Amino acid sequence: MVYFLLLGILLLLILGPQLWVQHVMTKYNRHQEENFPGNGAELARHLLDRYGLNQVQVEKAESGDHYDPGDKTVRLSKDKLEGRTLTAITIAAHEVGHALQDAAGESLFQWRSRLGSIAVGAQRLGSFLLFVSPILSIVTRAPSAGLLSATAAFLVMGSNVILQLATLPVELDASFKKALPLLKSGYLEPEQYRGAEKILRAAAFTYLSASLAGLLNFWQWIRVLKR
């Protein structure tokens, strides 16, 4: 009974933030707002030009809204790109916030970008070790093969969890020190502020919910290795 209670609490902690993020994004993405003269793409382009970031492009995203510092591109999903909802406008401003972090050379953003490159390398190495560890285990019959598998699991899953946790302060800065002041400078009506704050908080905590799910996966993997 206690085990199932703990499992329920754990699932709530992991799935709760994800469900809340989805609820907030959907709630404010249903109705086109009459006071918005343009859609998400047009607002992003306007804000980028306003701050002299003419070289930064705005494109349709294939997998989630994000700013790509390598290509200097703000990418928005179709509903954010073409929509005039509060979610579309707010997320567009949030991603522009990342472009502003990049342009200013802010240390948190640069550190997160470097950590992202390290995480990619760690995951590739981990994937290779996961591939060779069963072979080594059969050939050598050494207990160190289990340690190799655990190391590989950490490189693949653990590095991603660390990256997502490190991303959280960068996301909070883009939301509340960049996007929100911009939106309050004449782009939103006062009655829309609270909704925008919820959306920006959800945008930032998307990475927290992902890291919690990653921790669960990592824990399950370690349990499998111990058997």
Side-chain angles (χ1 to χ4, degrees):
M1 180 64 182
V2 175
Y3 174 79
F4 288 109
L5 180 61
L6 291 174
L7 181 61
I9 293 173
L10 181 62
L11 288 174
L12 181 63
L13 288 173
I14 292 170
L15 298 177
Q18 295 182 32
L19 294 173
W20 176 75
V21 167
Q22 293 173 4
H23 167 72
V24 170
M25 293 296 186
T26 302
K27 177 180 178 181
Y28 294 100
N29 203 32
R30 293 172 180 154
H31 307 293
Q32 305 293 319
E33 301 290 345
E34 295 180 359
N35 63 301
F36 297 153
N39 56 29
E42 290 167 332
L43 176 67
R45 181 73 270 156
H46 164 74
L47 291 175
L48 291 166
D49 292 344
R50 173 181 167 181
Y51 285 91
L53 302 181
N54 309 86
Q55 77 281 6
V56 177
Q57 302 301 308
V58 180
E59 297 178 355
K60 180 182 176 181
E62 298 300 326
S63 58
D65 311 296
H66 65 280
Y67 168 69
D68 186 334
D71 293 340
K72 306 297 182 189
T73 302
V74 168
R75 294 194 173 97
L76 301 171
S77 55
K78 187 175 184 294
D79 60 321
K80 315 296 192 317
L81 198 76
E82 301 175 356
R84 299 191 183 195
T85 64
L86 187 58
T87 292
I89 296 302
T90 304
I91 293 300
H94 172 84
E95 299 306 336
V96 169
H98 287 308
L100 294 174
Q101 290 172 330
D102 186 20
E106 295 186 8
S107 57
L108 268 178
F109 182 85
Q110 291 180 333
W111 179 72
R112 188 269 172 205
S113 297
R114 287 194 293 269
L115 189 60
S117 300
I118 294 171
V120 170
Q123 288 167 15
R124 288 175 179 171
L125 176 59
S127 297
F128 173 74
L129 293 178
L130 284 174
F131 174 74
V132 301
S133 59
I135 301 173
L136 289 176
S137 179
I138 294 171
V139 173
T140 65
R141 297 182 180 276
S144 58
L147 178 61
L148 186 63
S149 295
T151 302
F154 174 76
L155 289 172
V156 172
M157 300 180 189
S159 60
N160 192 48
V161 171
I162 292 171
L163 175 62
Q164 289 165 341
L165 288 173
T167 299
L168 182 57
V170 179
E171 294 294 316
L172 288 171
D173 179 86
S175 282
F176 294 101
K177 292 187 178 180
K178 303 293 189 299
L180 190 59
L182 276 175
L183 292 169
K184 287 184 175 181
S185 66
Y187 297 95
L188 297 181
E189 299 294 336
E191 59 270 20
Q192 295 172 320
Y193 291 173
R194 186 172 182 182
E197 289 171 359
K198 290 181 179 179
I199 295 166
L200 290 171
R201 193 171 293 111
F205 279 85
T206 297
Y207 291 88
L208 178 61
S209 62
S211 65
L212 290 172
L215 281 172
L216 178 62
N217 290 333
F218 183 60
W219 175 69
Q220 290 175 328
W221 183 265
I222 294 299
R223 287 189 64 195
V224 169
L225 291 177
K226 286 181 178 179
R227 292 175 181 175

